[in-house]
Amino acid sequence: MLLYANGDSHTAPDFGYVNTVAQEFDCDLINQAQSGSSNASILRRTREYLEHVTPDFIIIGWSTWEREEWYHNDRYYAVTASGTDSVPEELANRYKQWVIEQTSDRWSEKSAQWHEQIYSFHLELEQKNIRHLFFNCMYDFLRTKHTYNWNNAYVEPYDLDHSYYHYLKNKGLRPDEWYHYEADGHKVWAEFLIDYIREKKLI
């Protein structure tokens, strides 16, 4: 059985939760998660992968809502709040303006946009009979005006305490300065996902 994973730095580590999940269910693993990845990048790269391969199961940890990717001079750039070194010099002014524009209202707007896009992708996967499980790495959907029935394919998307980061924090795990957890945190999250997958009979 083939397990495909994507996400940001929370899903990327070699010692990460997704490796444990793959071992538990005796899956071959393809993990395309990238540090600093935006949801736009996660979605684009997942769709590119699915053009050639149909995995048996997909796990995606969605990133924070404000992140973007910009296409410039034939390559994609991850745009985060980590600093202008993530973009070439000719995009520095655009990046600085982007940072200014990332207000709480703008975050909520982007959250609403991704709520719709991720749900559309969920329906797309359902139509293709590709089993999958999504979760939020940091935040729930902000100020959501309506909810969707995700058919158990999204771990409590409207509950902050069921995001990866806050779930582990509430369990007493300590992140580093970049909000990352070590192997003990990944072990706890893997156990949670394994129990969830079994309970919901997703595999």
Side-chain angles (χ1 to χ4, degrees):
M1 186 162 66
L2 178 61
L3 168 60
Y4 173 84
N6 210 330
D8 58 13
S9 55
H10 300 295
T11 301
D14 291 336
F15 61 81
Y17 71 87
V18 74
N19 300 73
T20 304
V21 174
Q23 292 170 7
E24 180 67 23
F25 293 103
D26 195 23
C27 296
D28 294 323
L29 175 63
I30 298 294
N31 185 0
Q32 291 191 326
Q34 295 178 358
S35 180
S37 188
S38 64
N39 290 325
S41 173
I42 293 168
L43 186 58
R44 173 180 59 81
R45 291 182 293 105
T46 301
R47 282 194 166 126
E48 289 173 353
Y49 181 82
L50 294 177
E51 289 177 2
H52 307 285
V53 181
T54 301
D56 298 286
F57 196 67
I58 292 174
I59 293 179
I60 294 179
W62 297 104
S63 188
T64 54
W65 310 125
E66 87 287 355
R67 289 180 174 180
E68 298 179 6
E69 69 168 3
W70 295 349
Y71 189 70
H72 177 74
N73 287 344
D74 297 324
R75 65 164 288 187
Y76 289 97
Y77 290 91
V79 180
T80 72
S82 61
T84 54
D85 57 348
S86 64
V87 298
E89 183 177 354
E90 59 267 31
L91 295 179
N93 288 334
R94 178 185 171 187
Y95 174 81
K96 291 176 183 177
Q97 183 60 36
W98 176 85
V99 171
I100 293 171
E101 293 170 354
Q102 303 314 301
T103 63
S104 60
D105 286 342
R106 183 68 183 122
W107 274 45
S108 295
E109 290 173 6
K110 288 185 173 181
S111 172
Q113 292 167 3
W114 277 109
H115 186 227
E116 301 303 320
Q117 289 190 55
I118 294 173
Y119 185 67
S120 294
F121 184 53
H122 160 68
L123 294 180
E124 180 182 324
L125 293 177
E126 283 198 327
Q127 290 169 359
K128 294 179 178 179
N129 293 316
I130 300 176
R131 293 171 292 176
H132 56 284
L133 179 61
F134 300 158
F135 66 88
N136 294 325
C137 282
M138 286 295 294
Y139 307 113
D140 58 339
F141 290 111
L142 308 174
R143 306 179 193 173
T144 306
K145 295 182 179 179
H146 61 275
T147 61
Y148 287 120
N149 179 4
W150 297 85
N151 197 24
N152 296 322
Y154 209 135
V155 177
E156 301 293 343
Y158 310 107
D159 180 7
L160 182 66
D161 288 337
H162 278 85
S163 67
Y164 163 84
Y165 174 80
H166 288 92
Y167 179 87
L168 295 180
K169 184 178 180 181
N170 292 338
K171 290 289 185 180
L173 281 301
R174 293 187 178 183
D176 64 17
E177 61 180 324
W178 299 104
Y179 306 101
H180 296 143
Y181 291 98
E182 298 296 332
D184 56 348
H186 281 266
K187 180 177 182 293
V188 172
W189 187 245
E191 291 171 349
F192 171 78
L193 290 186
I194 289 166
D195 288 344
Y196 185 96
I197 290 168
R198 285 206 169 103
E199 178 186 348
K200 306 302 182 183
K201 299 179 180 179
L202 299 180
I203 291 181

